[in-house]
Amino acid sequence: MATMPGHGLRHVTTMRPWLRTFRSSTSLASLPSHFTEDSEQAQPKTDKPSSYFPKRGQTLELVCESLAFKGKGMCKVADTGFVVMCDRALPGERFIGRVTRRKGNYAEVTKVKTISPHWDFVDAPCEYASYCGGCKTQNLSYEAQVKAKEHQVHELIIHFGKFSQTELESQSIMKPIVPCEIQFHYRNKMEFSFGSQKWLPRESLMDRQDGSDNYALGLHAPGFFDKVLNVDKCLLQSEPANMVLAAVQDCWRDPQLGLSPYNVYSHVGFLKHLMLRTGRNVKTGIPELMVNFVTSSYKPELLQPLLGKISAIPEVVSIMNNVNTSVGNTSLGEMEYTLYGKSSITENLRGLTFQISANSFFQTNTHQAEVLYKLIEDCAGLRGDGSEVVLDLFCGTGTIGLTLARRAKHVYGYEIIPQAIADACLNAKLNAIQNATFIQGDLNKIDESFGNNFPKPDIVISDPNRPGMHMKLIRFLLKLKAQRIVYVSCNPATCARDLDYLCHGVTEKGIEGCYKLKSIQPVDMFPHTPHIECVCLLELS
């Protein structure tokens, strides 16, 4: 298991030449609207540049200046400053790019050839890193990865959150990013797809085969919903999970077994997904593995040969079958069957035990979730005398709220997904927590009556998904005026937008902000990927 060296945190704070430009022409203020992806409200208003517009199909020599949202490299056309975005381009890399399309005030390019490599180049240990869309920055040193993420959050908070550089520095609001000590084998859940069409790189297209030789089990190639990159192992998941993947790969194409991958065009075929989840036995600490086959129908006899191989792996304690009969290719089943062992596994987090079923939501990186939840608990600042009420918005399966319940008077959690609420209630019971109430409801559709069925909270925890918080919820929080809000974000662009609304208001809508931003703590939950988590503390002005 690869870990960050003990001196890594000191090195993380070391400035590199390409990071000395927080306020330079590479700032995210010049980024296109697509950069924020999830909300038009997260976009700064910019005039259309009068500079040169590259044409589709044209090739350009470019230098990547920084990483943008979703891990795309941001470049500028020489002498004009016109912004172009390139997937898999990394800071400092000089390359030839071909323009594929223009989107308003920027263009997208595809890398044709690297002229000189990027700064902090390392050899990617994964053989699929050049093709798989998951680990885009594996050949960038981890030290440089986290610094680039910190830089990205910093720029978004200034340009979309409208907080000044002076304000961030003088009040020490922006904290250094917390790196992840474990950079590989950290994921406790991976979902692989069965496919009838194997994706091949351009140079191998002549090697394409027919029939079952063209079947694949792995990850969808970036940009292809119908083609699957065949994967024999993934360095992000546990070793026992890789043993299961290898066991399935070893035999599932055997014609004598009668197994076929689901075809997204003809809607025929049996196998849709292979989901692997890793937990821990709460008594022994030994890893536990759940294997979940998602199929188009319930035919357990077809899976029996695979069960024999998989159940021989000691860590496997559960084999499930989710049946999804819809033409869609989602992994959530309409019916669920236990084929071997138990129907759930367990995991420990912040001293609590959580029961995880095949479709439960749980933090994907258990080790770093311990760090994240400690930061949330510190920001919440509960006195510990059992006198404070906590409102946990977008509570999921209750993991954050339940870790705070020990020091609170009562926790009220809201979540739209019924199964998540059921899991939250089960987890509360499992840990003998009686001062937590979980309610199913859509926080994007609240009305004037929202808040009538719980007392005014002292602390609000908000952990929205990528689009951030709806304006209705923003209005509610500004009217509620809880003393403290801890905003947990998986999307720094919409996070910056929501912080702006809560602190500065929205003048054109007659909304006045009433909070002061006290701290922003970026956390790297997923090394080698573009994803960034942030924990933000706001206090009532």
Side-chain angles (χ1 to χ4, degrees):
M1 183 174 292
T3 60
M4 190 171 186
H7 61 273
L9 190 57
R10 185 182 71 245
H11 282 194
V12 163
T13 60
T14 302
M15 292 293 283
R16 294 185 174 274
W18 61 280
L19 293 169
R20 295 186 184 125
T21 56
F22 272 20
R23 287 171 290 182
S24 72
S25 61
T26 64
S27 76
L28 298 188
S30 61
L31 288 184
S33 59
H34 176 71
F35 178 74
T36 63
E37 178 182 301
D38 294 298
S39 174
E40 293 181 2
Q41 296 172 340
Q43 305 163 13
K45 293 183 179 179
T46 56
D47 295 328
K48 282 191 175 182
S50 57
S51 57
Y52 161 72
F53 293 95
K55 303 292 190 295
R56 183 176 177 179
Q58 185 175 355
T59 57
L60 304 166
E61 182 174 322
L62 300 162
V63 177
C64 178
E65 298 187 1
S66 63
L67 288 182
F69 193 54
K70 298 184 75 175
K72 291 190 176 184
M74 191 188 79
C75 320
K76 290 189 177 181
V77 177
D79 302 323
T80 70
F82 187 80
V83 174
V84 295
M85 308 292 287
C86 182
D87 204 20
R88 298 187 180 279
L90 296 171
E93 181 178 6
R94 184 179 293 276
F95 64 98
I96 301 296
R98 179 177 289 112
V99 180
T100 55
R101 58 179 171 174
R102 211 188 88 195
K103 288 187 170 184
N105 61 343
Y106 80 107
E108 290 187 353
V109 301
T110 298
K111 184 162 53 174
V112 176
K113 184 179 78 170
T114 296
I115 299 173
S116 57
H118 56 80
W119 299 306
D120 301 298
F121 175 86
V122 295
D123 290 321
C126 177
E127 61 181 297
Y128 309 107
S130 299
Y131 310 114
C132 168
C135 300
K136 291 186 176 182
T137 55
Q138 224 183 85
N139 58 356
L140 183 64
S141 73
Y142 184 64
E143 177 188 338
Q145 286 182 40
V146 292
K147 200 63 187 175
K149 290 182 179 184
E150 180 183 302
H151 172 60
Q152 189 183 127
V153 173
H154 180 277
E155 293 286 89
L156 286 166
I157 293 299
I158 289 176
H159 297 292
F160 293 164
K162 300 173 186 173
F163 295 91
S164 70
Q165 173 76 19
T166 303
E167 185 180 5
L168 295 180
E169 289 181 352
S170 64
Q171 300 176 35
S172 301
I173 292 173
M174 184 77 191
K175 309 299 182 185
I177 191 170
V178 177
C180 185
E181 292 182 354
I182 302 172
Q183 284 109 54
F184 292 98
H185 307 296
Y186 61 79
R187 285 190 67 99
N188 57 39
K189 176 187 174 184
M190 282 293 295
E191 182 181 309
F192 301 97
S193 296
F194 292 92
S196 57
Q197 292 190 55
K198 182 190 296 183
W199 181 89
L200 293 172
R202 185 180 299 273
E203 60 270 19
S204 303
L205 288 178
M206 298 300 293
D207 301 331
R208 186 175 297 281
Q209 298 168 306
D210 297 322
S212 61
D213 290 330
N214 194 33
Y215 291 169
L217 169 59
L219 302 167
H220 281 278
F224 293 92
F225 75 96
D226 58 342
K227 292 182 174 62
V228 174
L229 169 67
N230 197 67
V231 171
D232 292 317
K233 69 183 296 185
C234 176
L235 296 185
L236 296 191
Q237 69 176 356
S238 68
E239 285 299 343
N242 276 323
M243 292 172 64
V244 171
L245 177 61
V248 176
Q249 288 280 36
D250 186 52
C251 64
W252 78 276
R253 294 178 187 81
D254 187 344
Q256 295 184 1
L257 298 184
L259 295 170
S260 60
Y262 184 75
N263 187 304
V264 294
Y265 292 109
S266 64
H267 307 302
V268 297
F270 179 62
L271 295 168
K272 289 190 171 184
H273 301 284
L274 173 68
M275 186 187 297
L276 306 176
R277 305 192 74 143
T278 306
R280 282 180 293 177
N281 185 296
V282 293
K283 293 181 180 178
T284 65
I286 296 174
E288 293 185 331
L289 197 68
M290 171 186 283
V291 181
N292 179 24
F293 288 98
V294 181
T295 60
S296 60
S297 59
Y298 182 57
K299 297 178 181 178
E301 67 278 4
L302 290 179
L303 295 173
Q304 282 303 316
L306 296 180
L307 264 62
K309 284 181 169 288
I310 295 169
S311 60
I313 298 171
E315 290 85 356
V316 175
V317 298
S318 170
I319 302 179
M320 306 297 296
N321 180 198
N322 268 248
V323 177
N324 177 5
T325 62
S326 69
V327 295
N329 208 18
T330 63
S331 59
L332 186 66
E334 299 134 14
M335 297 294 293
E336 184 174 286
Y337 302 91
T338 304
L339 303 181
Y340 169 83
K342 52 189 182 178
S343 61
S344 64
I345 56 177
T346 54
E347 183 57 277
N348 278 332
L349 189 59
R350 300 289 297 155
L352 299 179
T353 299
F354 293 92
Q355 193 163 298
I356 305 168
S357 61
N359 296 310
S360 292
F361 171 80
F362 192 77
Q363 283 287 348
T364 315
N365 184 343
T366 308
H367 174 86
Q368 196 71 338
E370 289 274 356
V371 176
L372 181 73
Y373 284 18
K374 177 63 166 62
L375 290 168
I376 294 170
E377 190 172 321
D378 290 345
C379 283
L382 287 163
R383 291 191 291 267
D385 58 3
S387 64
E388 295 160 295
V389 173
V390 176
L391 177 60
D392 186 8
L393 303 175
F394 309 96
C395 66
T397 55
T399 49
I400 295 176
L402 292 174
T403 59
L404 299 176
R406 295 167 293 187
R407 299 172 59 83
K409 179 180 180 180
H410 204 94
V411 172
Y412 294 88
Y414 278 82
E415 171 62 49
I416 189 173
I417 303 172
Q419 182 59 49
I421 290 295
D423 286 342
C425 294
L426 180 64
N427 288 327
K429 185 177 180 180
L430 187 64
N431 290 281
I433 294 175
Q434 299 178 336
N435 62 331
T437 302
F438 296 101
I439 303 160
Q440 192 268 329
D442 190 347
L443 290 167
N444 291 329
K445 297 179 180 178
I446 60 174
D447 56 26
E448 293 297 323
S449 66
F450 184 69
N452 293 342
N453 55 348
F454 56 84
K456 180 178 178 178
D458 301 281
I459 299 153
V460 173
I461 310 293
S462 184
D463 187 7
N465 51 16
R466 299 184 64 80
M469 295 194 296
H470 194 279
M471 187 57 73
K472 288 181 180 179
L473 188 56
I474 297 281
R475 287 180 183 272
F476 168 78
L477 292 175
L478 291 173
K479 181 180 178 182
L480 182 69
K481 289 183 169 59
Q483 190 62 39
R484 195 174 296 116
I485 295 176
V486 181
Y487 191 119
V488 186
S489 168
C490 61
N491 181 348
T494 52
C495 172
R497 179 204 67 198
D498 291 349
L499 295 179
D500 175 34
Y501 292 164
L502 291 167
C503 295
H504 308 136
V506 188
T507 304
E508 58 269 27
K509 295 189 178 183
I511 299 174
E512 292 186 10
C514 62
Y515 282 91
K516 184 173 180 59
L517 182 60
K518 302 297 288 186
S519 68
I520 304 164
Q521 177 68 76
V523 181
D524 187 24
M525 294 289 292
F526 307 108
H528 313 298
T529 78
H531 304 295
I532 313 171
E533 203 87 8
C534 290
V535 180
C536 309
L537 173 61
L538 301 100
E539 290 184 353
L540 195 64
S541 294

